[in-house]
Amino acid sequence: MVQFTKQITVIMLFAISSVCFSNINSDQEIEHVIIELKAEIQNVQLYYLNLNKHLYDELYDVSKALKKSLKAKEQIKALIKKNRLQEELSQNKLSEVSDISKIRYLKGLQIIKILYEKTLSLDHHFASVATFNEINNLSNPNHYPEFAKMKDVIKNKQDKKVGFTLSHILGDNIYTSVVHSLVSLFTNTNSSKAEKEESLQEVECILDFTLRMHNDLNTIYFETAFLQKSNDNIIIELEQLFVDFTKPIKYKTPLKECRNADDWDAVREKLNNFLKELNTIIEDDSQRYKAHKMQINLEFPIDRLLQFITQYNMHIDQGAKFYEKFGIMLNSYENENQCATKIPPEYSKLKANIKTSIESFNTAYKPVEINGSKMKQVLYGINEYD
């Protein structure tokens, strides 16, 4: 009967592994995986609790009989039965620990896949938030047609004897270009005062915006590039974690190739073969050491996963703080209302993108809440009430 019920548990765990890989999608939150982990561990614990209950009852009766019995034959019979019951309880304990390790391993694979989808999405997000060309076009007045038109007018009307033209390098520089244009405008004797005022009025908002926001916009670009580099490192760490995680089951395809080829069926097959071997040898006393070593190989990647989750959380917290700062910087332009018609629409789009990004860091990319009792469940396979 005990052997039959253990086989039922093995079949149940194989079914869990199939569900584990077939139902994974990038929208599934890790919180749901932790909830499932808790429920499945509790089911296994309840199963073994019920399985062991009658064994403990028998052990109690045998121990009680040993104290009362005076006949050697009866004591020997009771001792043999007691030893058998203790051996069976010990075997059940090993099986329970093994089953919980399997569940934790399966959920660990789910978490790795979800985190990989999140980090890939975040990489695409960083790449699309602010490119160099977009930031350069926003922050440099030389890319605004009104300013370019004013420079052409000044160039055509400037006094050839006293005027001068900037080199290509200085002409593209925001500060030297603005200074040269303003000096040339006011020292130009070929234009009337009214023409000069009209030209200045055409570009005043452009100059005000670019001079005030130039440093902030460049800061957003370079710090976004830094975040993207950090995210690249996170992806590398996660891909190495997958290597460590799947090494015990002898799956050797890298995470990127596994994802691109949708090779999760092969992972499941390798895992099922590993579990089948473990469940075969765990009941063989001569192979206890091998079974224990295989179980440790399942346990070790879980610890690595928890270390990675801590690293991932720090990365997400850092990104959220950076983007909150970006939002403050973009909202700091005090003349936005007066110059609304002159500021390019890309500025408003960038502000909206940053706002959406902050929301994403608090929802789609939020840190994994796996502290306290949840950490205990994943790390040790027990809950706070055990």
Side-chain angles (χ1 to χ4, degrees):
M1 178 65 181
V2 172
Q3 181 65 30
F4 173 75
T5 51
K6 286 182 180 179
Q7 290 174 349
I8 293 295
T9 305
V10 172
I11 292 171
M12 178 187 72
L13 286 166
F14 284 175
I16 289 172
S17 70
S18 298
V19 173
C20 167
F21 294 106
S22 62
N23 288 349
I24 296 176
N25 60 74
S26 59
D27 295 327
Q28 185 179 10
E29 287 299 329
I30 293 177
E31 176 69 18
H32 298 159
V33 179
I34 301 298
I35 292 172
E36 291 172 357
L37 169 69
K38 179 180 178 181
E40 290 172 19
I41 287 178
Q42 287 179 338
N43 287 338
V44 169
Q45 290 173 330
L46 181 61
Y47 164 76
Y48 281 101
L49 181 65
N50 293 331
L51 184 66
N52 292 332
K53 187 177 184 302
H54 78 279
L55 296 177
Y56 280 116
D57 290 341
E58 287 187 53
L59 186 61
Y60 174 79
D61 292 339
V62 169
S63 299
K64 190 175 180 180
L66 274 172
K67 293 179 181 179
K68 292 181 179 180
S69 178
L70 298 176
K71 296 180 180 180
K73 186 176 180 179
E74 292 179 354
Q75 286 184 332
I76 292 172
K77 185 178 179 180
L79 283 171
I80 292 174
K81 184 176 182 181
K82 181 178 181 180
N83 183 66
R84 178 182 62 79
L85 290 170
Q86 289 176 331
E87 181 64 24
E88 200 165 333
L89 285 168
S90 176
Q91 183 68 46
N92 286 348
K93 182 61 180 177
L94 289 174
S95 297
E96 179 182 1
V97 171
S98 175
D99 290 348
I100 289 175
S101 296
K102 297 165 196 170
I103 293 172
R104 292 171 58 219
Y105 185 85
L106 289 167
K107 295 304 177 186
L109 282 174
Q110 279 185 277
I111 291 173
I112 287 174
K113 186 173 184 184
I114 294 171
L115 287 177
Y116 194 57
E117 294 299 330
K118 286 179 180 292
T119 50
L120 290 177
S121 176
L122 194 55
D123 185 66
H124 175 73
H125 168 81
F126 285 139
S128 63
V129 165
T131 65
F132 178 77
N133 286 336
E134 289 175 351
I135 291 296
N136 194 33
N137 290 342
L138 274 175
S139 61
N140 194 329
N142 291 301
H143 293 284
Y144 289 75
E146 296 90 342
F147 187 66
K149 179 182 177 181
M150 188 191 79
K151 289 201 300 181
D152 287 340
V153 171
I154 293 172
K155 183 178 180 181
N156 292 331
K157 290 188 175 184
Q158 72 180 1
D159 190 335
K160 306 299 182 182
K161 295 181 179 180
V162 297
F164 65 96
T165 302
L166 290 177
S167 66
H168 176 72
I169 294 176
L170 293 179
D172 286 340
N173 183 286
I174 174 176
Y175 300 108
T176 54
S177 178
V178 169
V179 171
H180 174 264
S181 297
L182 291 179
V183 170
S184 298
L185 176 65
F186 290 109
T187 58
N188 187 0
T189 58
N190 295 323
S191 298
S192 65
K193 180 180 179 182
E195 288 177 325
K196 294 176 182 178
E197 290 178 349
E198 183 180 355
S199 296
L200 184 60
Q201 191 174 8
E202 281 291 317
V203 298
E204 62 177 350
C205 279
I206 294 171
L207 296 181
D208 182 70
F209 172 75
T210 53
L211 290 173
R212 287 178 185 269
M213 299 300 296
H214 179 77
N215 287 336
D216 288 342
L217 289 168
N218 277 289
T219 296
I220 291 173
Y221 166 74
F222 287 113
E223 292 191 350
T224 297
F226 166 77
L227 288 173
Q228 187 173 15
K229 179 62 177 177
S230 297
N231 198 67
D232 290 342
N233 293 334
I234 288 289
I235 291 175
I236 292 172
E237 288 284 336
L238 188 51
E239 290 173 341
Q240 181 58 48
L241 174 60
F242 183 75
V243 172
D244 296 339
F245 218 91
T246 54
K247 185 177 180 180
I249 64 174
K250 298 179 181 179
Y251 180 79
K252 299 180 180 179
T253 304
L255 178 55
K256 183 178 180 179
E257 294 179 22
C258 175
R259 174 187 180 271
N260 293 340
D262 196 21
D263 198 36
W264 297 103
D265 284 343
V267 179
R268 182 182 65 231
E269 183 179 353
K270 290 286 187 181
L271 177 60
N272 284 343
N273 290 338
F274 180 89
L275 297 180
K276 185 177 180 180
E277 181 184 0
L278 179 58
N279 278 281
T280 299
I281 68 174
I282 201 170
E283 296 174 4
D284 185 349
D285 290 342
S286 64
Q287 298 194 73
R288 284 278 181 90
Y289 175 75
K290 182 179 179 181
H292 179 64
K293 186 176 180 180
M294 290 178 69
Q295 190 167 313
I296 289 176
N297 289 337
L298 281 184
E299 295 286 334
F300 176 72
I302 301 293
D303 298 337
R304 285 274 290 107
L305 173 59
L306 292 174
Q307 293 172 12
F308 174 80
I309 287 175
T310 299
Q311 185 179 355
Y312 172 84
N313 286 347
M314 292 174 61
H315 175 58
I316 297 302
D317 285 336
Q318 182 187 50
K321 290 175 181 176
F322 268 84
Y323 272 75
E324 287 174 3
K325 181 176 72 173
F326 296 164
I328 294 172
M329 293 165 69
L330 288 174
N331 288 316
S332 66
Y333 180 50
E334 58 191 48
N335 292 325
E336 183 175 356
N337 291 333
Q338 299 93 307
C339 296
T341 59
K342 295 293 185 180
I343 299 175
E346 286 75 16
Y347 173 68
S348 297
K349 290 179 183 178
L350 182 58
K351 287 176 65 176
N353 203 332
I354 295 298
K355 183 179 179 181
T356 302
S357 300
I358 294 172
E359 294 172 356
S360 295
F361 275 107
N362 294 326
T363 54
Y365 309 121
K366 67 180 179 180
V368 181
E369 296 180 6
I370 189 165
N371 300 313
S373 61
K374 291 179 182 177
M375 177 73 80
K376 192 182 294 184
Q377 287 170 359
V378 178
L379 186 56
Y380 304 111
I382 60 176
N383 63 55
E384 57 186 331
Y385 301 109
D386 287 339

